Amino acid sequence: EAGVTQSPTHLIKTRGQQVTLRCSPISGHTSVYWYQQALGLGLQFLLWYDEGEERNRGNFPPRFSGRQFPNYSSELNVNALELEDSALYLCASSFGQGAFYEQYFGPGTRLTVT
Amino acid sequence: AQKVTQAQTEISVVEKEDVTLDCVYETRDTTYYLFWYKQPPSGELVFLIRRNSFDEQNEISGRYSWNFQKSTSSFNFTITASQVVDSAVYFCALSEAGGAGSYQLTFGKGTKLSVIP
């Protein structure tokens, strides 16, 4: 069974540009979570989608947004990129809604903003 | 607010030594879940274990074992007879089951383990 997949693997953007990251969950998983792993800041929760709706967001500005499609895949959009957005963006999926379900992570997208 | 503390930033051990990674958590929920993940140099987080707040039994899986103590709010991870392949960053995480129904993981800062041959 395929795991969580993310694309692209690496991305280099210029400050002020916009970027879209993509995530495909494990088949049968309906919840998708996005996390940011920036140097020195650890892993921070960004967004949570379940059944096509945004269920919760972390302490990030509105220029971080996303959506979940009917097939449960998800996009993370970041507008007006800033240098501090440089990070590894990890997507995770879980079978259902609830703390009980472990989250399985993809390989991440490494974003560099210059 | 929930919080996870991994006080050990980096640990180095010689192969075959035992090593314990510490994790201390804070939560106001009575129902919560604790997790350990491994992040090898490739970057992908690998799920290792989940433990709920009502199950304080220790768990052993091969060379890995976990000690959960609610009295000290700790969920420590021990690797017995460490191997070079164990070199990675290990994260402890917490998810609360109650409240507003937000189930995201709160991670500790991670402990970088280096196993020297």
Side-chain angles (χ1 to χ4, degrees), chain B residues 50-113:
Chain B
R50 175 194 62 217
R51 174 66 72 209
N52 75 60
S53 53
F54 298 107
D55 183 2
E56 287 194 70
Q57 281 191 345
N58 292 333
E59 181 155 342
I60 298 174
S61 176
R63 296 184 298 107
Y64 295 170
S65 63
W66 291 269
N67 180 268
F68 175 32
Q69 291 193 341
K70 286 181 76 171
S71 60
T72 56
S73 297
S74 65
F75 186 43
N76 297 335
F77 173 31
T78 298
I79 301 175
T80 302
S82 60
Q83 299 177 2
V84 173
V85 292
D86 296 327
S87 296
V89 180
Y90 290 86
F91 291 94
C92 180
L94 167 72
S95 181
E96 294 176 333
S102 179
Y103 307 119
Q104 74 267 16
L105 294 168
T106 296
F107 287 90
K109 295 289 188 186
T111 297
K112 182 177 181 181
L113 174 64

Side-chain angles (χ1 to χ4, degrees), chain A residues 2-80:
Chain A
V4 177
T5 59
Q6 293 185 244
S7 63
T9 307
H10 294 89
L11 210 49
I12 300 175
K13 289 286 188 179
T14 303
R15 189 179 169 199
Q17 286 187 316
Q18 178 265 342
V19 69
T20 297
L21 312 182
R22 295 177 175 82
C23 171
S24 290
I26 291 172
S27 177
H29 286 194
T30 61
S31 270
V32 171
Y33 298 80
W34 288 93
Y35 294 87
Q36 181 198 65
Q37 187 175 23
L39 201 61
L41 295 178
L43 278 151
Q44 295 183 288
F45 166 69
L46 259 168
L47 289 159
W48 169 35
Y49 293 94
D50 184 73
E51 297 287 356
E53 293 192 15
E54 181 180 307
R55 301 293 183 176
N56 197 29
R57 65 180 295 127
N59 189 25
F60 282 84
R63 58 191 185 83
F64 286 84
S65 65
R67 55 180 172 166
Q68 186 179 33
F69 299 97
N71 66 355
Y72 303 112
S73 66
S74 176
E75 282 183 353
L76 173 67
N77 298 294
V78 188
N79 294 320

